[in-house]
Amino acid sequence: MDTMRDEPVGSFTLVEVGDLMNSEVITLPHTSTIYDAIRTMVQHGIRHVPILEDGKLAAIISDRNVRMMVSEGMSAEQRREYLMNTSVLKHASRPVTTVKETEMAHTAAKIFVSDRIGCLPVVDEEGRIIGILTQTDLLAWLSENKQVRGAGIE
């Protein structure tokens, strides 16, 4: 595997997180259950759900958090009860790594790699979530950007 370049290539230098983020963020309140999170991920075809408390980002749950849950040795009924009655916060990740919309996209890419995460909630100065940037968003932009492809990243 090649090491990451210290300097971004081509127009990637000029791209901010706000240019790539999705501003339509699906969230859940902190009072939700694991079942609520799974249902939300399936219904919306997403892998990450920010959890809000008092309008601010409190945690995030991902499909990986759900897969890592201990459920071996549970009957189907026990698993169902657990999912329906267990707080999403029990398996959500905290604290959450976030970025501002003015952060450079290449910095977000480095965070994805160094922190081994799949998304970055984008927050304003008050800590309210205003968007979300996923690895898929970043890769989609890279795959479509001709200047980056012309620099030998194809």
Side-chain angles (χ1 to χ4, degrees):
M1 182 168 107
D2 292 338
T3 58
M4 286 185 66
R5 297 174 185 232
D6 288 336
E7 293 299 318
V9 176
S11 63
F12 195 44
T13 311
L14 307 174
V15 177
E16 293 183 347
V17 166
D19 298 326
L20 304 177
M21 73 179 192
N22 184 345
S23 58
E24 295 181 23
V25 184
I26 307 296
T27 63
L28 286 172
H30 71 285
T31 55
S32 301
T33 65
I34 296 169
Y35 176 79
D36 296 328
I38 293 169
R39 186 182 66 220
T40 299
M41 288 181 208
V42 170
Q43 283 178 341
H44 296 280
I46 57 177
R47 296 183 298 154
H48 309 92
V49 181
I51 309 301
L52 304 182
E53 187 170 359
D54 298 325
K56 294 187 180 176
L57 184 62
I60 193 160
I61 191 157
S62 70
D63 60 339
R64 181 169 39 173
N65 297 119
V66 172
R67 286 192 312 268
M68 291 173 58
M69 287 179 0
V70 178
S71 62
E72 291 181 20
M74 287 185 186
S75 69
E77 183 58 31
Q78 288 171 321
R79 187 175 303 114
R80 182 183 173 285
E81 287 297 315
Y82 185 80
L83 296 175
M84 298 289 285
N85 296 309
T86 302
S87 170
V88 70
L89 293 176
K90 182 167 183 165
H91 293 280
S93 298
R94 293 182 276 186
V96 181
T97 303
T98 62
V99 291
K100 303 280 191 260
E101 67 181 325
T102 55
E103 192 75 55
M104 300 311 294
H106 68 272
T107 301
K110 288 181 180 184
I111 294 170
F112 285 142
V113 172
S114 66
D115 291 7
R116 298 179 57 128
I117 56 177
C119 80
L120 285 164
V122 183
V123 296
D124 65 14
E125 297 302 322
E126 287 79 43
R128 290 183 303 252
I129 190 164
I130 59 170
I132 194 164
L133 179 68
T134 67
Q135 288 180 338
T136 302
D137 297 328
L138 189 59
L139 289 171
W141 182 84
L142 284 170
S143 71
E144 295 297 321
N145 189 285
K146 292 179 183 172
Q147 287 179 316
V148 173
R149 286 199 318 263
I153 303 176
E154 296 187 39

